[in-house]
Amino acid sequence: MIIVLKPGIAKKEERAVLQEIRKLGYVPHVMRGVARTVIGAIGDERTHQSLETLVTWAQVESVTPIQKRYKLVSREAHPANSTIQVRGHVIGGKKFHVMAGPCSVESERQLLQTAEAVKAAGATVLRGGAFKPRTSPYEFQGLGEKGLKLLAKARRATGLAIITELLSEQHADMVAEYTDIIQIGARNAQNFQLLVAAARTGKPILLKRGLSMKIEEWLLAGEYVLANENPNLLFCERGIRTFETYTRNTLDLAAIPIIKQESHLPIVIDPSQGAGRSDLVIALCKGAVAMGADALLIEVHPNPAEAWSDGAQQVSLEVFPKLMQELRPLIAAAGRE
Amino acid sequence: MIIVLKPGIAKKEERAVLQEIRKLGYVPHVMRGVARTVIGAIGDERTHQSLETLVTWAQVESVTPIQKRYKLVSREAHPANSTIQVRGHVIGGKKFHVMAGPCSVESERQLLQTAEAVKAAGATVLRGGAFKPRTSPYEFQGLGEKGLKLLAKARRATGLAIITELLSEQHADMVAEYTDIIQIGARNAQNFQLLVAAARTGKPILLKRGLSMKIEEWLLAGEYVLANENPNLLFCERGIRTFETYTRNTLDLAAIPIIKQESHLPIVIDPSQGAGRSDLVIALCKGAVAMGADALLIEVHPNPAEAWSDGAQQVSLEVFPKLMQELRPLIAAAGRE
Amino acid sequence: MIIVLKPGIAKKEERAVLQEIRKLGYVPHVMRGVARTVIGAIGDERTHQSLETLVTWAQVESVTPIQKRYKLVSREAHPANSTIQVRGHVIGGKKFHVMAGPCSVESERQLLQTAEAVKAAGATVLRGGAFKPRTSPYEFQGLGEKGLKLLAKARRATGLAIITELLSEQHADMVAEYTDIIQIGARNAQNFQLLVAAARTGKPILLKRGLSMKIEEWLLAGEYVLANENPNLLFCERGIRTFETYTRNTLDLAAIPIIKQESHLPIVIDPSQGAGRSDLVIALCKGAVAMGADALLIEVHPNPAEAWSDGAQQVSLEVFPKLMQELRPLIAAAGRE
Amino acid sequence: MIIVLKPGIAKKEERAVLQEIRKLGYVPHVMRGVARTVIGAIGDERTHQSLETLVTWAQVESVTPIQKRYKLVSREAHPANSTIQVRGHVIGGKKFHVMAGPCSVESERQLLQTAEAVKAAGATVLRGGAFKPRTSPYEFQGLGEKGLKLLAKARRATGLAIITELLSEQHADMVAEYTDIIQIGARNAQNFQLLVAAARTGKPILLKRGLSMKIEEWLLAGEYVLANENPNLLFCERGIRTFETYTRNTLDLAAIPIIKQESHLPIVIDPSQGAGRSDLVIALCKGAVAMGADALLIEVHPNPAEAWSDGAQQVSLEVFPKLMQELRPLIAAAGRE
């Protein structure tokens, strides 16, 4: 911790700060500068109580931590890339993966038709929401367990792995029984109880970035998964909330090199949520591939205009194979398969 | 719904849009303007499926809903102000209320000392977190049920009502047993499962605004409470996330007149979270009172520098009575007691 | 400057950093912590070249300045409050001021009618745009010098002081000839050439905060005025850009206590731009008064629905006296006249 | 314009709205819906006065424009891609371009060394600031005309075209005399006087997006250039301001497909400003190429740690050729040369 004192304070006030630093278990180290006195407080910031509250003292100008707060998810702790195994597929390795499917599971026909189409085009994982977090209580909330059963049926029919969202701690075991990857949505990205419940199922977790989550907070939310003894974590960038209204969210593609730099875990990009408009999905997929993403999560629907949720951002069964085709040269250029 | 078509499209493409509008249960009404053709789709937007997905069609430029999506929380549905009864106190009426106490319950001594001090200064509700949502898994997570018991003890000792945060659906009944008001925190403001579980306890709910929640989304999250047959809802503004870094959040005081305009429910302001710095708390309280807030939620701690969480934003037992004193003339000027 | 080194770097890499620090004129001071080595670079950060670029070096994790970058505008440099004299009025003193008038000067009749109405209600300064920065080139750009002449005429008729916006360096002398206060708008808040040209006229400057300006950047833009030997600066908060769409901007009222803490200069609040909706203006004015603002800048128009610019945020001649009336008890409660 | 009336208003109040619509030159068209009455106001929104101010009327709930406000920059007005000619190069065509050079021109040696290095690596345009907009008045403000002369010298020496920033209307002619492309920086993106002065020189203009500029506002700022009879405009995305602090700005790469969709003009990406960190520049360049950008604008410096401005975001002469090498396969995969 670096504590900067206000200019012109009395010796007595400085001593009080030094005493408090020692009381909280750190060794203070004083540097007298030209305009300010700076105190370095030496000690492990992750095991001692934070000194940040010293900032409330009248004689203190600022307090800055110097250690990173995340540990298990950090590249420092695990220099090599981690990979996640899902039904024989390896995510985070040489092979690039595409997860695709409808926003919501609506019916057997809709799901199977989509599953077969995305498989034929090259996807390896089928997405589909059975429990849907909806802004309004009057909107379609998902088919629930019936939706999970349809996903399992689609897996049997196509061999695709399954990813679906978990909304409630109470459903953790039920969802884990059906799915291959548990998705934690943006609205629940700091619902730590849900993260812990999901982690404990042992299933791989795909953690979406919250709408206003800083990278550091996202890494720390991931830390909740690893600290609960589940090493199988995927980060998924899906757009952050900004002032721009042309798109529903602003997809922060810089998150790809940042996550690669700060963490050893794979990074997935969701361009559908990221843009909220299907006409931008192809371009965003291309950017994600070129920048080193490990996988894409794309919403695909047989008839977007009649989708029960988020139709505007789902691509059709006709557009999806075209998209996959256009990605091929970029996947090669990015050194992936 | 208002559907705007792109300029220069073929008649056939226009007919397809009209047909789809009818298929989804609306009556289309065409207006030919100077540069664009506009279609009004007449029907109840809350009972029919949304037409917003028409925006994916190549011939459609934009789709705009015209009805408000919230119903039970709206001023339209209930023109008079609603009030919430808590242990003989009426929140949302003539009397202005102050809820105060530590960020986290740490010990019997800390809590009782604070409770007595805030009561003496005029607070009517004691706040204190027993379950704490913390950004890092390595930070203090709250005393749990032990903290709830201490809150109950402080209530017996002082007669103050209690407000505490609920973090997990699984704790809803337990928390409801001890507390008078259930707080839903900013990170869980769109954790709809938690909102429903809290609503079903029948206890009054204080719903904080999420860090990146639009007013409309906040009202709709409140709609989840009223739609689950719990009319006792308080909205609480606690700052939104912006680019500014001087303060931890940007307290959006305009939320006060907006909530009063759009809803019949009371509005509470949390200046401690809103600023993240105790030195701004008094000024923000004054603004909130003047602008018509119904209550304040203020963090108070016997020794902020040694608080186990969020010390920088808690005011001391010495500052709190001074703050209450300074608010008095403004409460009177605002026509409250 | 505080330079934090990455963990586990070689001695040689550390030496290279120390050498560079010395080369740039600072004295390095090494602290070895538990997980990181930290170097304090002692020297005046405002006279030496910045060390921030050291962050590009592979062995450096972060570089943090510890001095504040603003000097002349800072409270540190001038502990007492500064006041601005305008036609016998003192802004920033005991007396609270209201500046009011139309968004744009449209005609003699519109301006004089408004000037008389706002004067009768208690305003001391007349606002009115003669040069208008408009998002689209096809919108009304202001009457130019003709508008300035009308403002001067209104001043002669009513005795009100005048504030009007300067848009172009080339108009600095012309605008200064007519106005009492020069307004620099939000879009030009970091147009440093314009700030310098305005400062050199010697007239008091009202500097609006840019839409995405941090407090520190705003203070530094103000520093451009004082560094060009014009001490007559007023800061004006007018809302920042956030994700919220209910209001046009988010008025950051916390700027009032922050500016009072960091600077000695007066702070003015513009609730009209801040909300973009006239129905919120009264509540925002009340908050501003209670929180210690020195003045308000309010848009008033005889017929807002037919205003040539920004009609939605202008209050009518009927509403304005009511607003002034409602502010009176709050001005008194805030200890102002 | 679409005007939505509040529910339950009297006939008389509706008539007043219809009358005002006619008075302002539109033909009203009434649609009675289930919950609201909607009025379409037919007329050219770009030639008549805006009806948006009707929103101030008590009986009106909302007013929504339906026409796009930009005209000359729009894809609608000019379906084919426009290209910009610069010293024999065509920007916006089949060939991909890289503009590179130092943030600030510091000395002949620094500039020529950089110019030769970037030319050798494949750049076609040399960037370099002679007039620098700096947050603080105490920071290096650029060499001024001396810097322009050095740029011209570097052009003679290498044949590279030149791009440099214009800060003041008063320098428009001087800067135009030396440079091939005039850059308008982010802080001046809505300095309309400067845009007009730059447009009138006839030189190609590169218009950076402002830090908090919506796409629509950016297009409208570009409209100022074309409306002043200069068709040679390049849009340049350089990051927007968000809450994230890991990067200096959030580079909004979705701007590439959006600008391509809405406009016929070329789009350039500036990853240096976009990230504020040189270690992210390569990845962002790759994304930009894959997503269809027409050119890149990259800061390159012989010794970033000693740069006189923005050292942290400049790549070294060693990294730049490597970057160019890594882009080659992506440029090919994107179908460019």
Side-chain angles (χ1 to χ4, degrees):
Chain A
M1 291 279 170
I2 301 295
I3 295 99
V4 179
L5 300 181
K6 288 199 182 140
I9 61 162
K11 270 288 160 205
K12 198 184 124 193
E13 290 173 323
E14 182 181 316
R15 272 199 304 275
V17 174
L18 295 173
Q19 201 170 345
E20 185 73 14
I21 289 171
R22 284 192 204 98
K23 186 169 162 197
L24 293 170
Y26 294 82
V27 177
H29 184 122
V30 180
M31 283 185 294
R32 302 205 185 280
V34 171
R36 297 278 192 285
T37 292
V38 174
I39 305 169
I42 294 172
D44 192 334
E45 297 171 10
R46 284 186 301 219
T47 54
H48 290 78
Q49 198 189 338
S50 170
L51 290 169
E52 288 183 67
T53 54
L54 276 176
V55 85
T56 58
W57 289 29
Q59 64 269 53
V60 174
E61 187 163 289
S62 69
V63 179
T64 313
I66 58 163
Q67 276 180 251
K68 290 191 175 172
R69 294 159 75 200
Y70 38 94
K71 207 159 46 178
L72 303 174
V73 302
S74 75
R75 178 68 77 181
E76 224 169 89
H78 188 294
N81 285 340
S82 289
T83 58
I84 311 296
Q85 313 279 335
V86 181
R87 299 215 145 234
H89 300 298
V90 177
I91 304 177
K94 183 87 180 159
K95 190 162 182 299
F96 188 82
H97 286 270
V98 176
M99 312 179 183
C103 179
S104 298
V105 177
E106 296 169 10
S107 69
E108 184 169 339
R109 193 160 171 278
Q110 171 244 22
L111 188 64
L112 283 177
Q113 193 185 350
T114 309
E116 275 151 22
V118 302
K119 191 187 177 186
T124 47
V125 181
L126 176 66
R127 63 150 288 151
F131 296 95
K132 299 297 304 171
R134 300 307 300 277
T135 303
S136 158
Y138 310 122
E139 292 168 330
F140 173 59
Q141 311 271 323
L143 295 180
E145 190 166 7
K146 193 183 146 199
L148 297 176
K149 286 189 208 286
L150 291 175
L151 286 165
K153 195 162 186 177
R155 175 170 55 198
R156 280 194 305 274
T158 60
L160 289 166
I162 296 296
I163 179 170
T164 198
E165 182 166 356
L166 174 68
L167 277 191
S168 164
E169 293 165 68
Q170 291 171 337
H171 298 152
D173 292 336
M174 191 220 301
V175 169
E177 204 181 305
Y178 292 99
T179 198
D180 299 303
I181 306 175
I182 292 177
Q183 175 180 319
I184 301 293
R187 288 183 189 81
N188 282 313
Q190 288 189 306
N191 177 348
F192 304 119
Q193 275 59 33
L194 188 67
L195 277 167
V196 170
R200 290 191 177 150
T201 66
K203 289 277 172 183
I205 311 289
L206 179 138
L207 174 61
K208 292 208 171 179
R209 182 175 178 186
L211 272 79
S212 58
M213 222 176 185
K214 295 187 187 187
I215 300 274
E216 192 203 17
E217 293 167 335
W218 192 19
L219 289 164
L220 282 165
E223 191 82 14
Y224 270 91
V225 174
L226 271 68
N228 281 278
E229 286 166 26
N230 185 336
N232 298 306
L233 179 67
L234 303 140
F235 287 106
C236 178
E237 161 68 29
R238 45 76 73 206
I240 56 174
R241 186 158 269 184
T242 71
F243 60 82
E244 180 57 64
T245 52
Y246 192 97
T247 44
R248 187 154 133 184
N249 297 294
T250 297
L251 190 68
D252 183 11
L253 287 168
I256 302 170
I258 295 171
I259 289 292
K260 288 287 173 203
Q261 199 158 289
E262 295 296 322
S263 177
H264 51 93
L265 294 160
I267 170 93
V268 180
I269 296 294
D270 174 350
S272 307
Q273 290 283 345
R277 302 171 54 125
S278 58
D279 55 359
L280 301 177
V281 166
I282 293 186
L284 291 170
C285 286
K286 289 179 178 175
V289 168
M291 290 177 72
D294 295 299
L296 292 167
L297 182 63
I298 305 174
E299 296 191 7
V300 181
H301 193 282
N303 184 355
E306 297 187 8
W308 296 4
S309 60
D310 286 346
Q313 70 200 32
Q314 307 196 51
V315 300
S316 66
L317 301 189
E318 290 70 44
V319 168
F320 185 71
K322 182 172 163 293
L323 180 159
M324 293 292 279
Q325 201 53 45
E326 290 193 28
L327 291 185
R328 262 171 240 284
L330 287 161
I331 292 173
R336 304 295 275 259
E337 284 160 14
Chain B
M1 290 279 171
I2 301 296
I3 295 99
V4 181
L5 300 181
K6 288 199 181 141
I9 63 162
K11 268 289 158 203
K12 198 183 123 193
E13 290 173 322
E14 181 180 317
R15 273 199 305 275
V17 174
L18 295 173
Q19 203 171 341
E20 184 74 15
I21 290 171
R22 283 191 204 97
K23 186 169 161 197
L24 293 171
Y26 294 83
V27 178
H29 184 121
V30 179
M31 283 185 296
R32 301 204 187 280
V34 171
R36 298 278 190 287
T37 292
V38 174
I39 305 169
I42 295 172
D44 192 334
E45 298 171 10
R46 283 185 301 219
T47 55
H48 290 79
Q49 197 189 338
S50 170
L51 290 168
E52 286 183 69
T53 56
L54 275 175
V55 85
T56 58
W57 290 29
Q59 65 270 54
V60 173
E61 188 162 289
S62 69
V63 179
T64 312
I66 60 163
Q67 275 180 252
K68 290 189 176 173
R69 295 158 76 200
Y70 39 93
K71 208 159 46 181
L72 303 173
V73 302
S74 76
R75 177 69 77 182
E76 227 169 86
H78 188 294
N81 285 339
S82 288
T83 57
I84 311 296
Q85 313 278 334
V86 181
R87 299 217 147 231
H89 300 297
V90 178
I91 304 177
K94 183 86 180 158
K95 191 164 181 296
F96 187 82
H97 286 270
V98 176
M99 311 179 183
C103 180
S104 300
V105 177
E106 296 167 13
S107 70
E108 183 169 337
R109 194 161 169 277
Q110 170 242 24
L111 188 64
L112 285 177
Q113 192 186 352
T114 310
E116 275 150 23
V118 301
K119 191 186 176 187
T124 48
V125 181
L126 176 67
R127 63 150 289 152
F131 296 96
K132 299 297 303 172
R134 301 307 300 277
T135 302
S136 158
Y138 309 122
E139 292 168 330
F140 173 58
Q141 311 270 324
L143 295 180
E145 191 166 6
K146 193 183 146 198
L148 297 176
K149 285 189 207 289
L150 291 176
L151 286 165
K153 193 161 187 178
R155 176 170 55 200
R156 281 193 305 274
T158 60
L160 290 167
I162 296 296
I163 178 168
T164 199
E165 182 165 357
L166 174 67
L167 278 192
S168 164
E169 295 165 68
Q170 291 171 336
H171 299 151
D173 291 336
M174 191 221 298
V175 170
E177 203 181 305
Y178 293 99
T179 197
D180 298 302
I181 306 176
I182 292 177
Q183 174 180 320
I184 301 293
R187 291 183 187 81
N188 282 312
Q190 287 189 306
N191 177 349
F192 304 120
Q193 275 58 33
L194 188 68
L195 278 168
V196 170
R200 290 191 178 149
T201 66
K203 288 279 171 181
I205 311 289
L206 178 138
L207 174 60
K208 292 209 170 178
R209 182 176 180 186
L211 272 78
S212 59
M213 221 175 185
K214 294 187 187 188
I215 300 274
E216 192 202 17
E217 294 168 333
W218 190 22
L219 289 163
L220 282 165
E223 192 81 14
Y224 270 92
V225 174
L226 271 66
N228 280 279
E229 286 165 25
N230 184 338
N232 298 307
L233 180 66
L234 302 141
F235 287 106
C236 178
E237 161 69 27
R238 44 77 74 206
I240 56 174
R241 186 159 270 186
T242 71
F243 60 83
E244 180 57 63
T245 51
Y246 192 96
T247 45
R248 186 153 136 186
N249 298 293
T250 297
L251 190 69
D252 183 10
L253 287 168
I256 302 170
I258 296 171
I259 289 292
K260 288 287 173 203
Q261 200 158 288
E262 296 296 322
S263 177
H264 50 94
L265 294 160
I267 170 92
V268 180
I269 296 295
D270 174 350
S272 306
Q273 290 284 344
R277 301 170 54 124
S278 57
D279 55 359
L280 301 176
V281 166
I282 292 186
L284 292 170
C285 287
K286 289 179 177 175
V289 167
M291 291 177 70
D294 294 300
L296 292 167
L297 182 64
I298 305 173
E299 296 189 8
V300 181
H301 193 282
N303 183 357
E306 297 187 9
W308 297 3
S309 60
D310 285 347
Q313 70 199 30
Q314 306 196 52
V315 300
S316 66
L317 302 188
E318 290 69 44
V319 168
F320 185 71
K322 181 172 163 294
L323 180 159
M324 294 292 278
Q325 201 54 44
E326 289 193 28
L327 291 185
R328 262 170 241 283
L330 287 161
I331 292 172
R336 304 296 274 261
E337 283 160 15
Chain C
M1 291 277 172
I2 300 296
I3 295 99
V4 179
L5 301 181
K6 287 200 183 142
I9 62 161
K11 270 287 159 206
K12 196 183 125 194
E13 291 173 322
E14 182 180 316
R15 273 198 304 274
V17 174
L18 294 173
Q19 203 171 343
E20 186 74 14
I21 290 172
R22 283 192 205 97
K23 185 168 162 197
L24 293 170
Y26 294 83
V27 177
H29 184 121
V30 181
M31 282 185 294
R32 303 206 185 278
V34 171
R36 299 277 191 285
T37 291
V38 174
I39 304 169
I42 295 172
D44 192 336
E45 298 171 10
R46 283 185 303 220
T47 54
H48 290 80
Q49 197 187 342
S50 171
L51 291 169
E52 288 183 68
T53 55
L54 276 176
V55 85
T56 58
W57 290 28
Q59 64 270 51
V60 174
E61 188 163 288
S62 69
V63 179
T64 312
I66 59 163
Q67 274 180 252
K68 291 190 175 172
R69 295 160 74 200
Y70 38 94
K71 206 158 51 179
L72 303 174
V73 301
S74 75
R75 176 69 78 181
E76 226 168 88
H78 188 295
N81 285 340
S82 288
T83 57
I84 311 296
Q85 313 279 335
V86 182
R87 299 217 148 232
H89 300 297
V90 178
I91 304 178
K94 183 86 180 157
K95 191 164 182 296
F96 187 83
H97 286 270
V98 175
M99 312 179 181
C103 179
S104 299
V105 177
E106 296 168 11
S107 70
E108 182 169 340
R109 195 162 169 275
Q110 171 243 23
L111 188 66
L112 284 176
Q113 193 185 352
T114 309
E116 276 150 24
V118 302
K119 190 186 178 189
T124 47
V125 182
L126 176 67
R127 62 151 289 152
F131 296 95
K132 299 297 303 172
R134 302 306 300 275
T135 304
S136 160
Y138 309 121
E139 292 168 331
F140 173 59
Q141 311 272 324
L143 296 180
E145 190 166 7
K146 191 181 147 201
L148 296 175
K149 286 190 207 286
L150 291 175
L151 285 164
K153 192 161 188 178
R155 176 171 53 200
R156 282 193 304 275
T158 60
L160 289 167
I162 296 296
I163 177 169
T164 198
E165 182 165 356
L166 174 68
L167 279 191
S168 166
E169 294 165 69
Q170 291 170 336
H171 298 153
D173 291 337
M174 191 220 302
V175 170
E177 203 181 307
Y178 292 99
T179 197
D180 299 302
I181 306 176
I182 293 178
Q183 175 179 319
I184 301 293
R187 290 183 187 79
N188 283 313
Q190 288 189 305
N191 177 349
F192 304 119
Q193 275 59 32
L194 189 67
L195 277 168
V196 170
R200 289 189 180 153
T201 66
K203 288 278 172 183
I205 311 289
L206 179 137
L207 173 60
K208 292 209 171 181
R209 182 176 179 186
L211 272 78
S212 58
M213 220 176 188
K214 294 187 190 190
I215 301 274
E216 192 202 16
E217 293 167 335
W218 191 19
L219 290 163
L220 282 164
E223 192 81 14
Y224 270 92
V225 175
L226 271 68
N228 280 279
E229 285 165 27
N230 185 335
N232 298 308
L233 179 66
L234 303 141
F235 287 105
C236 178
E237 160 69 28
R238 45 77 72 207
I240 56 173
R241 187 156 269 186
T242 70
F243 60 83
E244 181 56 64
T245 52
Y246 192 97
T247 44
R248 187 154 136 186
N249 297 295
T250 297
L251 190 68
D252 183 11
L253 288 169
I256 303 169
I258 295 172
I259 290 292
K260 288 287 171 201
Q261 200 159 288
E262 296 296 324
S263 177
H264 52 94
L265 294 160
I267 170 93
V268 181
I269 296 294
D270 174 349
S272 306
Q273 290 283 346
R277 301 170 55 124
S278 58
D279 55 359
L280 301 178
V281 165
I282 293 186
L284 291 170
C285 286
K286 289 179 178 175
V289 168
M291 290 177 70
D294 294 301
L296 291 167
L297 183 63
I298 305 174
E299 296 189 7
V300 181
H301 194 282
N303 183 357
E306 296 187 8
W308 296 2
S309 60
D310 287 346
Q313 71 200 30
Q314 306 195 52
V315 300
S316 65
L317 302 187
E318 290 70 43
V319 167
F320 185 71
K322 183 173 163 292
L323 180 159
M324 294 293 279
Q325 201 54 44
E326 290 193 28
L327 290 186
R328 262 170 240 283
L330 287 161
I331 292 172
R336 305 294 275 261
E337 281 159 16
Chain D
M1 290 278 170
I2 301 295
I3 295 99
V4 180
L5 301 180
K6 287 200 182 141
I9 62 161
K11 271 286 157 206
K12 200 184 122 195
E13 291 173 322
E14 182 180 316
R15 273 198 305 274
V17 174
L18 294 173
Q19 203 172 341
E20 184 74 16
I21 289 172
R22 283 192 204 95
K23 186 170 162 198
L24 293 170
Y26 294 83
V27 178
H29 183 121
V30 179
M31 282 185 294
R32 301 204 186 279
V34 171
R36 299 277 191 285
T37 292
V38 174
I39 304 168
I42 295 172
D44 192 334
E45 298 171 10
R46 283 184 302 219
T47 54
H48 289 80
Q49 196 189 342
S50 170
L51 290 168
E52 287 183 68
T53 55
L54 276 175
V55 85
T56 57
W57 291 28
Q59 64 270 51
V60 173
E61 188 162 290
S62 68
V63 179
T64 313
I66 59 164
Q67 275 179 250
K68 290 190 176 173
R69 296 159 74 198
Y70 39 93
K71 207 157 49 180
L72 304 173
V73 301
S74 76
R75 177 70 77 180
E76 227 168 86
H78 188 294
N81 285 341
S82 289
T83 57
I84 311 297
Q85 313 279 335
V86 181
R87 299 214 147 234
H89 300 296
V90 178
I91 304 178
K94 182 87 179 158
K95 188 162 183 299
F96 187 84
H97 286 271
V98 176
M99 311 180 181
C103 179
S104 299
V105 177
E106 296 168 11
S107 70
E108 183 169 339
R109 192 159 172 279
Q110 170 242 25
L111 188 65
L112 284 178
Q113 191 185 353
T114 309
E116 276 150 24
V118 301
K119 189 185 179 190
T124 48
V125 181
L126 176 67
R127 61 150 290 154
F131 296 95
K132 299 297 303 172
R134 301 307 300 277
T135 304
S136 159
Y138 309 122
E139 292 167 331
F140 173 59
Q141 312 271 324
L143 295 181
E145 190 166 7
K146 191 182 146 201
L148 296 176
K149 285 190 207 286
L150 291 176
L151 285 165
K153 192 161 189 179
R155 177 171 54 201
R156 282 194 304 275
T158 60
L160 290 166
I162 296 295
I163 177 168
T164 199
E165 182 165 357
L166 174 68
L167 278 192
S168 165
E169 294 165 68
Q170 290 170 337
H171 299 152
D173 292 335
M174 189 220 303
V175 170
E177 204 181 306
Y178 292 98
T179 198
D180 299 301
I181 307 175
I182 292 178
Q183 174 180 318
I184 301 293
R187 289 182 188 81
N188 282 313
Q190 288 189 305
N191 177 348
F192 304 120
Q193 274 59 32
L194 188 68
L195 278 168
V196 171
R200 289 190 179 150
T201 66
K203 288 279 172 184
I205 311 289
L206 179 136
L207 173 60
K208 292 211 171 179
R209 181 176 181 186
L211 272 78
S212 58
M213 222 176 185
K214 294 187 189 191
I215 299 274
E216 192 202 16
E217 293 167 334
W218 191 21
L219 289 163
L220 282 164
E223 192 81 14
Y224 270 91
V225 175
L226 271 67
N228 281 280
E229 286 165 26
N230 184 337
N232 299 307
L233 179 66
L234 303 141
F235 287 105
C236 178
E237 161 69 27
R238 45 78 73 209
I240 56 174
R241 187 157 270 187
T242 70
F243 60 82
E244 180 57 64
T245 51
Y246 192 98
T247 44
R248 187 153 135 183
N249 298 294
T250 297
L251 191 69
D252 183 10
L253 288 168
I256 302 169
I258 295 171
I259 289 293
K260 288 286 171 202
Q261 199 159 289
E262 296 296 323
S263 178
H264 51 92
L265 294 160
I267 170 94
V268 180
I269 297 294
D270 174 349
S272 306
Q273 289 284 346
R277 300 170 55 123
S278 58
D279 55 359
L280 301 178
V281 165
I282 293 186
L284 292 169
C285 286
K286 290 179 177 176
V289 168
M291 291 178 71
D294 294 301
L296 292 167
L297 182 63
I298 305 175
E299 296 189 8
V300 181
H301 193 282
N303 182 358
E306 297 187 9
W308 296 2
S309 60
D310 286 347
Q313 71 200 29
Q314 307 196 51
V315 299
S316 65
L317 302 189
E318 289 70 43
V319 168
F320 185 71
K322 182 172 163 294
L323 180 159
M324 294 292 279
Q325 201 53 45
E326 290 193 28
L327 291 186
R328 262 171 239 286
L330 287 161
I331 292 172
R336 305 294 275 262
E337 283 158 16

